[in-house]
Amino acid sequence: VQLQASGGGLVQAGGSLRLSCEASGGTFNPFNDDAVAWFRQAPDKEREFVAGISRSGRALSYADSVKGRFTISTRDTAKERVYLQMNSLKPEDTAVYYCARTARGPQNSNSKRALDYNYWGQGTQVTVSS
């Protein structure tokens, strides 16, 4: 499975960006129940969970720091393409954003630990200027 993240860029504080994560190379039938998540990593910081869609697709999770500003979504049950709409961006949102995927874990929640995800995209840089 390969994951391709895109949509990053430079934006002023208060602006918006939409990230996309496209999966390929796997078996993505309508019953595929992988969990998909976005993580981010700022310089000299650990990779942190941002948002996720559970394996069932029925539960969404967000880090407290992005609740109310970011929205994760998908248009298909196999979650072949997952989006992260980021509004009201702040300078502290600056980081490399990664999408990740796993077939492990519970159906109706997302692990917030990076080590629980076994497929990763290459990352897309988001820079928010003040």
Side-chain angles (χ1 to χ4, degrees), residues 55-107:
R55 293 180 61 194
S56 69
R58 291 192 292 269
L60 307 180
S61 305
Y62 297 95
D64 288 344
S65 59
V66 307
K67 279 181 183 176
R69 301 188 297 122
F70 290 12
T71 303
I72 189 170
S73 64
T74 185
R75 293 179 181 173
D76 63 282
T77 56
K79 310 182 203 75
E80 289 186 65
R81 190 164 291 176
V82 174
Y83 305 96
L84 184 68
Q85 178 67 43
M86 305 187 296
N87 298 329
S88 302
L89 282 161
K90 304 175 181 180
E92 51 264 43
D93 294 318
T94 295
V96 177
Y97 283 70
Y98 299 90
C99 59
R101 195 173 182 106
T102 182
R104 303 189 295 238
Q107 282 285 333

Side-chain angles (χ1 to χ4, degrees), residues 15 19-20 28 47 76 79 107 118:
L19 306 184
S20 297
F28 301 110
R47 192 168 295 189
D76 63 282
K79 310 182 203 75
Q107 282 285 333
N118 50 336

Side-chain angles (χ1 to χ4, degrees), residues 1-6 20-24 35-41 47 96-102 114 117-125:
V1 175
Q2 292 82 45
L3 302 181
Q4 180 72 39
S6 61
S20 297
C21 176
E22 184 170 1
S24 62
V36 182
W38 287 95
F39 286 77
R40 67 186 180 187
Q41 188 165 17
R47 192 168 295 189
V96 177
Y97 283 70
Y98 299 90
C99 59
R101 195 173 182 106
T102 182
Y117 294 81
N118 50 336
Y119 297 108
W120 289 85
Q122 84 289 0
T124 184
Q125 175 70 46

